[in-house]
Amino acid sequence: VFLEENMYTVKEAAEIMNISAHTLRFYANNDLFPFITRDYNNIRQFSDKDLEWVKLVKCLRDTGMPIEEVKRYIELCKAGDGTILQRFNMLVEQRKKAVEQLHETQKALELIEYKVNYYKSCLKDRNADKCNPATASLSVSRPRRATRKAGAKKTARNESA
């Protein structure tokens, strides 16, 4: 008994996977989905298995893996079990990057959370915004730039600048 597999157009696959059709086509044009087929009208068709590839590619890209590395990972997958160690190492490295990205996002979220609470307090107590960078005179310490004193000798480095 032959069971027919579900097939999806780019638009349908994009909706299912919560990705833009433009991005999905871009990935397909870059050979990131090794097994997609085309119908008799030459329209790309994604199977349920292809959607698993889409899920993987989206995950790798969402964590910042460059297209060329994603391609390399896919080629290693297609090559079979002899490449498990290489794929493992790639994903361990990507996990490190994703954790770093998560920490940066957490720090940004903490600042936003602070500002939300600050504004909530301003609204509740009817206080002015004393932390608005556009209106407040905040002193931010920055490293001073080295400047050349008037009359100082020019060096070859200064002249080329």
Side-chain angles (χ1 to χ4, degrees):
V1 173
F2 178 72
L3 296 176
E4 196 170 313
E5 190 171 20
N6 292 325
M7 299 302 281
Y8 310 96
T9 64
V10 169
K11 183 179 178 187
E12 292 167 335
E15 287 174 9
I16 292 167
M17 300 308 297
N18 195 28
I19 189 172
S20 76
H22 174 78
T23 300
L24 199 56
R25 281 188 198 92
F26 175 78
Y27 291 165
N29 289 339
N30 278 279
D31 301 320
L32 300 184
F33 310 126
F35 305 110
I36 59 172
T37 59
R38 291 182 180 264
D39 69 7
Y40 59 91
N41 288 321
N42 205 29
I43 295 173
R44 287 184 182 100
Q45 297 288 300
F46 289 79
S47 68
D48 289 320
K49 285 184 181 180
D50 294 323
L51 295 185
E52 290 300 316
W53 283 99
V54 173
K55 181 179 178 182
L56 176 63
V57 168
K58 186 176 182 308
C59 168
L60 295 174
R61 292 292 297 140
D62 286 349
T63 59
M65 183 179 278
I67 294 284
E68 289 305 316
E69 283 185 50
V70 175
K71 280 184 186 181
R72 174 81 177 126
Y73 181 82
I74 289 167
E75 289 303 316
L76 291 171
C77 287
K78 288 171 36 183
D81 289 349
T83 65
I84 289 174
L85 178 60
Q86 291 165 283
R87 288 181 274 153
F88 169 79
N89 288 334
M90 285 182 82
L91 292 183
V92 165
E93 190 59 34
Q94 195 60 31
R95 180 178 61 189
K96 283 181 196 172
K97 292 175 184 176
V99 168
E100 289 171 15
Q101 184 181 10
L102 187 59
H103 286 277
E104 290 302 313
T105 301
Q106 183 62 41
K107 287 194 294 190
L109 180 59
E110 288 170 8
L111 176 60
I112 290 171
E113 205 54 49
Y114 167 80
K115 294 296 279 185
V116 165
N117 289 328
Y118 175 76
Y119 290 138
K120 193 185 294 184
S121 171
C122 286
L123 292 168
K124 178 182 168 224
D125 299 336
R126 297 178 185 247
N127 290 335
D129 181 1
K130 295 178 183 158
C131 293
N132 183 343
T135 59
S137 59
L138 302 175
S139 66
V140 177
S141 60
R142 291 188 219 167
R144 298 186 110 200
R145 291 179 64 188
T147 57
R148 195 168 40 91
K149 291 184 180 176
K153 245 182 160 178
K154 288 186 177 182
T155 63
R157 182 175 167 199
N158 287 342
E159 290 176 346
S160 66

